[in-house]
Amino acid sequence: MNYRLFVFLLALLFPAKPAKAQEGSTVAATDAAWCWFSDPRALYHREKKEAVYFGYINSSGDVMVRSLDLRTHKMQEYTLHEKLQQDDHDVPSFLFLPDHRLLAFYCHHNGDIFMRKTVNPEDISSWEEERVILKKDSVNLYCYMNPVMLRDEHNRIYLFGRNIVRRKNGINQPWGETGIYCIYSDDDGSTWSKKTNLLDNSGRNTPQYVKYATDNKSRIDFLFTNGHPKQGADISVHHMYYEKGAFFQTNGKKIGGFGDLPVLISDVNKVYDPEAGKARSWIWDIALDAANRPVVTYARYPSETKHEYYYARWNGRQWNTKKIADAGPYITIIKPGKKLLEAHYSGGIVLDHANPGSIYLSRQINGKFEIEQLKAGDTAQRVSVTGRSLVDNIRPYAVSRGRGRRPLLFWMAGNYYHYTDFDTNLKMIK
């Protein structure tokens, strides 16, 4: 019998005793899910009001945005797009403009990239008309949105995500020549540049995945794989960064300029080599420390039912890597009569970007996924965020409020069957 199905049936037969709710935790949104490759999916912003803004997909396929005023506790909600797709890949990501209006980006899972802009600062009740800024066609399919604004480039906005090119030499392919699109805007999103491909995967017929970090001034860091872990045992983790028109290895060695794109993945130094580690991998998070050095989290997969979390920090000369925890198996619950589709969906391990020595993770404890907080330097000291839960707690996301302040913590709570089939809410701790 499948492992997760076995645990699921045991939970039905012998339900756990309910636990007291975590002090300070609230349900931020019911019927809500998100993936982890479009960020920021939640943002803290403080100007005339202090609020958190976050997005999600519901089971009707509506693209939703909410804001919570942290002083008055007033919640606002807006539907960016009704019935786009019942798929958590479509979750919106956000960026605040210098005038404090909010940009929202969302997508089809392998389709179009959409954008909307609020009419007024710090107010999600009114939006400009929806625009398609990347349109799918017979060749190109788009997914994921990761906006970054750099002050030193006159507030240029970069947008990154996945582009599957379905045809090569006139032949359709399952994944095609998958790339990472890059477009940019110098006028607050009113117009966008032509598309550029960021990465070259040497013709591998598998999608690469990227996570992004920035100092919001001059630098963008990229943590990426050379494929999907279910499509190869040799899935590695790489890092590079962009600054002042050029791309660099982690150690500062120049790779090439913006005009030299795409960067060949096989030429980029590895954070993790699966040949040495003897397990495929996938990425979870990247942040920059106070010295602008990258800190990353990722998962290794000795088997489908044994996921492991790792933390790596660049010390200026090399990556210092540490195993953080055994995560348990995949989060996907397999319904009777269904097959396992996503064996590499872990509970999740993320960083407080204002203090990347602080880690939040989801791992299986007594048959359910629970959220924990710990310090990278002392993994034995764990603080339980959830416990004795009746449902899984997965995909945590820490929303930074600045150095010296505790982040706002979000996560999904419920039963997760597939990215198109979920019964989850978003919870948060302020």
Side-chain angles (χ1 to χ4, degrees), residues 79-90:
T79 303
L80 291 166
H81 191 123
E82 290 186 0
K83 296 180 172 55
L84 179 63
Q85 245 182 346
Q86 187 179 342
D87 192 313
D88 67 25
H89 289 66
D90 301 1

Side-chain angles (χ1 to χ4, degrees), residues 64-119:
M64 307 298 298
V65 56
R66 281 190 168 193
S67 67
L68 174 64
D69 191 309
L70 298 174
R71 294 168 179 159
T72 67
H73 309 293
K74 179 182 178 182
M75 183 81 78
Q76 283 188 308
E77 179 183 272
Y78 191 89
T79 303
L80 291 166
H81 191 123
E82 290 186 0
K83 296 180 172 55
L84 179 63
Q85 245 182 346
Q86 187 179 342
D87 192 313
D88 67 25
H89 289 66
D90 301 1
V91 65
S93 57
F94 303 104
L95 179 76
F96 268 100
L97 296 172
D99 65 2
H100 308 293
R101 289 188 296 164
L102 185 63
L103 284 181
F105 303 89
Y106 47 99
C107 67
H108 293 113
H109 185 181
N110 300 333
D112 300 330
I113 303 294
F114 304 89
M115 188 194 80
R116 295 188 77 169
K117 184 187 299 186
T118 57
V119 174

